Each structure stands twice: as structure tokens, then as C-alpha cells.
Amino acid sequence: MQGNALCSASDMKEDGLRLLPSALLLLFLLLVSGPWGWGQVYSWSTIAGTIYSGSADGTNSDARFNGPAALVVDGAGNIYVPDISNQTIRKIVPVGTNWVVSTIAGSVGQAGSRDGTNSTALFNYPTGITVDSDGIVYVADRLNNTIRKLAPLGTNWVVTTIAGQAGNPGGNDGINTAALFDTPNGMGIDSGGTLYVTTQGPIFDNTIRRMVRAGTNWVTQTIAGSGRIGSADGTNRSAAFDFPSGAAPDNSGNVYVTDQANNTIRKVALNGTNWVVSTIAGLASTSGYADGTNSDARFDYPGGLAVDNGGSIYVADYGNWLIRKIIPVGTNWVVSTIGGQFGHGQPLTNGIGSDARFWGPNGVALDSRGNVYVADQLHNAIRRGIPLPVCQAAALANDTLTLTWNAAVGQVLQIQYTTDLGQTNWTNLGEQFVCTNSTIPVTDLITSGPQRFYRALVTP
């Protein structure tokens, strides 16, 4: 009788449970002691690509990628991917229940540094990517040591270089191309349009840079990291990183960074005019796998990360072949695994939670409905994790049943019931609604009629 996550033929996700008014106490005990406890459960599927590398545009598994490094989702639900070994930028558009992949910039297999429109532009190992509220895409062009902008113009994409100089690595701050980068890798953007870039160069960088728009110009400033390799917490340039990978700002002005070679997650917090760096999860220079709180957690070469509106962090744990979630609890950070199983990365497998298989996941992104997207780099695939509502409590008082579900903010739900699981007809309980809170109470008037079964349907 405990809650079970199910999948219907229409790819709607369900959390079904059996309710007997005469046995509510037993039901409640079973719910809270189930294997998923109080946590969020994710159902993972492959939306584009397959295990075979290539560079084919197309729909769903007909598309081919070659080492997708990262990804970002815009406000309309479109996904942008730097396809690093193909030297291209790809766009994935939802069309009904399908996903259509196209190449919007770069020339397949041709490395270079050239601004231009669509395939006339050239990249050299593009890695980081982000998108602003106007639909303009920004790319960290890793081996060109530059930051590129992709602006939509009708059905075309115009690529320009806004910072850095190809073939001239460095750590100089400055305006536009007077600023120099050494192996820029990860990118994020805040609500005001400020860019944050991680750099991994062994000579000039291992820093966190901020790029602020000033009219038509971009002003680059180093906000954390001295350029030396290390794992020191501290303020501004007194902090040290070792191969910082992803960068993701939250709604409060903080920036979170995956410090890849240190196997830690770092927080870069604005304090007045200073930036204070602290380690929130993992233990420096100690790789491994463990869920837990703060430094008790272990990562193995974590790649990209993303932050949701509630402040939870999602991490692509590259070396462990896992997707991790870090939840703030008071002043602590609690790490759990929401996708994949440690030590098991092949074959490419969809499923719920640990039943899914990832292989070198390197990028993670979120959409407005709480869905998690992953660039599964070594599988050459793009994956999606849908958070399933989990019933957390049930109470009966004055013939009114109250069910409490744990759901993702922004998720679109429809609660339904039936009196017979042997038939396919379910009755809507109220109207479809958008979750504005992670805890969803649902009430139903219970009579002396037959037992009822309830489920929550998710529209991805």
C-alpha cells in the first residue's frame, strides 16, 4: 500500500496510493517508512541522442551528438548544447512530445575562431553555455580563450566575440577583448544579465570572473581566485581553486562553483564589495562517493551545476556517473543522489532514481517546472529527470481526507481518483494546477462508499 512511482503509456508520471478509510493509520506508517522516505524522486528518460556519436540533426534518438559538454534551458523550454567534439552549438526544441535537434552555429569538425552567421562561425572546443531573458546565448569557447555571443536574427544566429583573444591566453581584467581568459570552462547568468565564468588555465587562471554589461561593452573583473592552484577559502583573490568547472548564480546574488579537481562545491558570496568563498560540500582533494552533510559528502570530479528558485543545487557528478542534489537545511548542506547508481554507468538506461544509468554526465540545467536536464557526455545523449510527486502524509477528520504531496515548485499537477485499479478510468479531483509550494495539500470528502485510489499526474 505504500506510494509507488508509475509510468503510463502516455508518458504521464504518476504517484498512486491505495486509501482505505478504516486503515489510515497503517497507511500513514507505510508511507513514511517507504524506501523513498521524504525525498524527491526523479524519473529519467532520454530526449535526444543515443550512445552512438555523430553530428546528425533530427528528432529524439535520430539526432547525434559527439561529447555534449553542457546545456541550458531558456524561458520557452528550448535547450542549447555546446557539442564540443563537433565544434558546434545545437538547439533542441520541444514539439509536442518530441524533441527536434538542429545546429545553429559552427561547422562540424572544423575548429577555429571566426565570427559570423550560423555555420560560417567557428569554435574551438566550446564548453560552457548560458542564455539570457532575451534569448541571447553565451558560450565559453574553451581553447580559443574567448567568450562568444550568439544573437538570434530572424531564423539566423549571429556569432560575435565579446571578451578574450584567440591564441592569447591571460588573466587580465578589462573591457571587451582587452580582458584575457585562460581556458574558460563554465558559465552562468543572473537575473540582471551579469555573466559568471570559471577559468581552468594552469598559468593565469583557476579563477571566477564576472562580466557586467555597460552599454554595448562588457567589463570583466576577477572576483575570486588568485590564479594559483589550491583549495583555500577566503575573500576575493585570497581564495584558491583547482580546476573550477561550473558556475551558477542564485536569486540572492551568490554564485556556486564546482571545484572539479578539489572534488568540492564552493559558494562565492557577495559581502559589500567583496566576494567571500566557502566550501559547502565535499572534502578538498578527496574523491569518492558518499551522500551526507557538508564535508561528509564525497564527489568525484564534479562538472556542471544549476540552482533552483528554492536554493537547492543540482550537480553532474562526472566521475561517479551520478546526478546529485544539495539542499540547504539551516546553515548546513545535505547531499543526496537523485539519478544513477554508483559504479554503474552502462548501458544507457532510463528509469526512476538509481535505476537510471549515466556515463560521464557533465552538464545540468533546470526548466521552470522543476525538470532537470543532463548532458550525458560519454553517452552522447541529453536526458531529462521529471520530479515525481510523493505522498508524504494522509489524515482523516470529519469525513474529509487530506493528502499531502511533496512536489516541485512550478510543476503542473492533476489529482485523480478511481475505485478500481483494474480499469483505466480515473476521475479528476478538482482542476489542474501549478504548484506554488513544494508541499501540496489535497482534500476529498470520504463517504461510506467503496475504497478510493489516488494519483498525481505530472505534465512535464
Side-chain angles (χ1 to χ4, degrees):
M1 291 195 303
Q2 72 185 34
N4 293 298
L6 307 171
C7 294
S8 69
S10 61
D11 197 36
M12 301 292 280
K13 311 302 176 189
E14 310 170 359
D15 179 29
L17 57 116
R18 178 181 180 179
L19 289 178
L20 294 171
S22 62
L24 279 177
L25 178 59
L26 176 61
L27 169 71
F28 179 76
L29 292 174
L30 285 171
L31 282 171
V32 298
S33 63
W36 296 332
W38 294 81
Q40 189 75 66
V41 180
Y42 288 78
S43 177
W44 295 97
S45 61
T46 303
I47 63 172
T50 181
I51 59 173
Y52 303 106
S53 63
S55 183
D57 290 338
T59 301
N60 304 336
S61 60
D62 290 336
R64 294 288 183 272
F65 298 86
N66 193 355
L71 75 175
V72 68
V73 184
D74 69 14
N78 303 306
I79 305 169
Y80 300 88
V81 179
D83 198 2
I84 54 175
S85 295
N86 281 324
Q87 311 289 356
T88 55
I89 311 301
R90 316 290 292 278
K91 182 179 181 180
I92 310 174
V93 178
V95 180
T97 59
N98 294 313
W99 295 86
V100 180
V101 180
S102 62
T103 302
I104 62 172
S107 182
V108 177
Q110 186 176 351
S113 178
R114 185 169 65 203
D115 291 340
T117 301
N118 303 336
S119 62
T120 63
L122 297 180
F123 300 86
N124 193 356
Y125 217 70
T127 51
I129 194 165
T130 193
V131 62
D132 68 18
S133 58
D134 295 323
I136 297 174
V137 178
Y138 301 88
V139 172
D141 198 1
R142 181 181 172 87
L143 296 188
N144 276 327
N145 301 303
T146 55
I147 307 301
R148 317 288 292 277
K149 180 177 80 171
L150 285 72
L153 182 62
T155 59
N156 296 313
W157 290 85
V158 180
V159 179
T160 56
T161 301
I162 61 173
Q165 299 175 17
N168 187 20
N172 298 354
D173 290 337
I175 299 175
N176 300 334
T177 58
L180 300 180
F181 292 82
D182 189 355
T183 324
N185 190 74
M187 294 190 74
I189 192 167
D190 66 19
S191 59
T194 296
L195 297 171
Y196 298 87
V197 183
T198 61
T199 62
Q200 297 183 334
I203 300 175
F204 298 102
D205 277 324
N206 283 287
T207 58
I208 314 302
R209 317 285 292 275
R210 181 176 70 165
M211 297 177 59
V212 179
R213 189 167 12 212
T216 59
N217 295 315
W218 289 88
V219 180
T220 299
Q221 173 195 14
T222 301
I223 63 172
S226 63
R228 72 181 188 278
I229 293 175
S231 62
D233 290 337
T235 301
N236 303 332
R237 288 183 176 269
S238 67
F241 300 85
D242 190 357
F243 229 57
S245 180
D250 67 10
N251 292 331
S252 300
N254 307 303
V255 182
Y256 296 90
V257 174
T258 43
D259 198 2
Q260 198 162 46
N262 276 323
N263 298 299
T264 55
I265 311 301
R266 317 287 292 276
K267 179 180 179 180
V268 187
L270 183 61
N271 184 4
T273 59
N274 295 313
W275 293 86
V276 180
V277 178
S278 59
T279 302
I280 64 170
L283 186 63
S285 303
T286 304
S287 64
Y289 167 64
D291 289 337
T293 301
N294 304 334
S295 61
D296 290 337
R298 294 289 183 272
F299 301 86
D300 189 357
Y301 217 65
L305 77 170
V307 184
D308 68 19
N309 290 330
S312 294
I313 304 168
Y314 302 76
V315 179
D317 195 357
Y318 183 92
N320 280 324
W321 305 339
L322 302 172
I323 310 303
R324 316 291 290 278
K325 185 175 182 178
I326 310 175
I327 300 175
V329 180
T331 58
N332 295 313
W333 296 85
V334 180
V335 179
S336 62
T337 301
I338 62 172
Q341 184 176 7
F342 173 63
H344 298 273
Q346 296 190 61
L348 190 157
T349 305
N350 297 318
I352 294 175
S354 61
D355 290 336
R357 296 289 181 267
F358 299 86
W359 191 22
N362 200 38
V364 64
L366 304 169
D367 69 12
S368 60
R369 294 188 174 185
N371 298 314
V372 181
Y373 297 82
V374 174
D376 198 358
Q377 188 169 12
L378 299 183
H379 273 146
N380 298 299
I382 308 302
R383 317 288 292 278
R384 179 176 67 176
I386 298 173
L388 301 183
V390 177
C391 192
Q392 303 292 354
L396 182 64
N398 300 322
D399 293 330
T400 299
L401 173 69
T402 300
L403 300 172
T404 302
W405 260 282
N406 177 32
V409 175
Q411 199 163 55
V412 179
L413 294 185
Q414 175 68 67
I415 307 300
Q416 296 181 325
Y417 71 86
T418 185
T419 59
D420 182 4
L421 286 178
Q423 51 83 39
T424 59
N425 294 323
W426 289 75
T427 302
N428 290 340
L429 183 62
E431 301 293 329
Q432 189 180 64
F433 62 95
V434 178
C435 299
T436 58
N437 194 286
S438 60
T439 303
I440 309 300
V442 177
T443 60
D444 190 20
L445 182 64
I446 299 296
T447 66
S448 58
Q451 65 189 17
R452 286 186 175 185
F453 303 84
Y454 293 83
R455 70 181 184 183
L457 294 186
V458 179
T459 300

